[in-house]
Amino acid sequence: MKSRCTGIGFALFFIVLLTLPACMQKKPYTVGKPGDQSASLSFPSFIQIGNFDGDSVENIFTRILYEGKKELAFAAGTHTVELRYKDIWDIDDDDHEDVISPYITLQFDAISGSAYEISVAAPKDRQSAHELASHFKAAIIDLKTKMAVSRRVEN
């Protein structure tokens, strides 16, 4: 019995050890044909991309494994991104709350070799998360110029 518990303990330790590096790295998603990716868009873990140019980007497994900054790689040109704020906040030791905004749609023109980032201030507490979710605004900025390059598209 003792060796069985020890074996289970070692197995759990190695599983955690193998998944830990995945939680600390930037997760690149590629959109489009392989080899066409010449621009990138990074976004924090509390931003959920619904779709990029009409294609779904994330699934449940990537949201579980990759909790750091995420990145999309894609070809230059005009792109449309549907995104929202989504995060989990602790209420107390035994309870939590999902805070989710409605999706908004942004459109931008990507230039080959450029890097972009979704700019939105991270909420500091649950109250500010609710405020952000109820009045969700985000912009896509060019990392070189620090200028907003996106325009909001009404659904």
Side-chain angles (χ1 to χ4, degrees):
M1 180 69 172
K2 185 178 178 182
S3 64
R4 181 177 168 181
C5 290
T6 304
I8 291 172
F10 276 120
L12 288 173
F13 174 74
F14 284 112
I15 288 171
V16 169
L17 194 62
L18 292 174
T19 57
L20 194 57
C23 296
M24 295 182 193
Q25 62 182 326
K26 189 182 282 191
K27 169 61 180 163
Y29 300 95
T30 54
V31 180
K33 296 179 222 163
D36 285 348
Q37 292 79 26
S38 61
S40 66
L41 173 68
S42 60
F43 53 101
S45 62
F46 60 84
I47 295 297
Q48 181 181 29
I49 304 291
N51 67 57
F52 187 87
D53 291 339
D55 295 326
S56 178
V57 174
E58 296 184 85
N59 63 38
I60 187 69
F61 299 110
T62 57
R63 283 197 298 270
I64 290 170
L65 286 177
Y66 298 98
E67 290 298 323
K69 200 171 228 187
K70 301 173 186 175
E71 185 175 87
L72 285 168
F74 47 87
T78 301
H79 298 285
T80 304
V81 183
E82 185 180 74
L83 60 125
R84 69 180 177 183
Y85 171 78
K86 182 178 183 199
D87 209 354
I88 298 174
W89 287 87
D90 289 331
I91 295 173
D92 55 35
D93 290 340
D94 299 323
D95 204 8
H96 68 276
E97 175 183 24
D98 287 332
V99 180
I100 304 169
S101 74
Y103 279 103
I104 64 168
T105 304
L106 299 176
Q107 190 174 59
F108 71 107
D109 297 316
I111 299 169
S112 181
S114 293
Y116 303 93
E117 181 177 61
I118 295 176
S119 175
V120 60
K124 298 193 182 336
D125 56 28
R126 195 163 52 105
Q127 178 63 32
S128 60
H130 279 285
E131 290 171 16
L132 175 63
S134 63
H135 304 293
F136 183 61
K137 292 180 183 165
I140 297 172
I141 61 166
D142 184 318
L143 289 177
K144 279 187 213 166
T145 64
K146 303 294 184 199
M147 300 291 295
V149 295
S150 62
R151 54 203 166 276
R152 188 160 177 174
V153 177
E154 295 302 321
N155 296 334

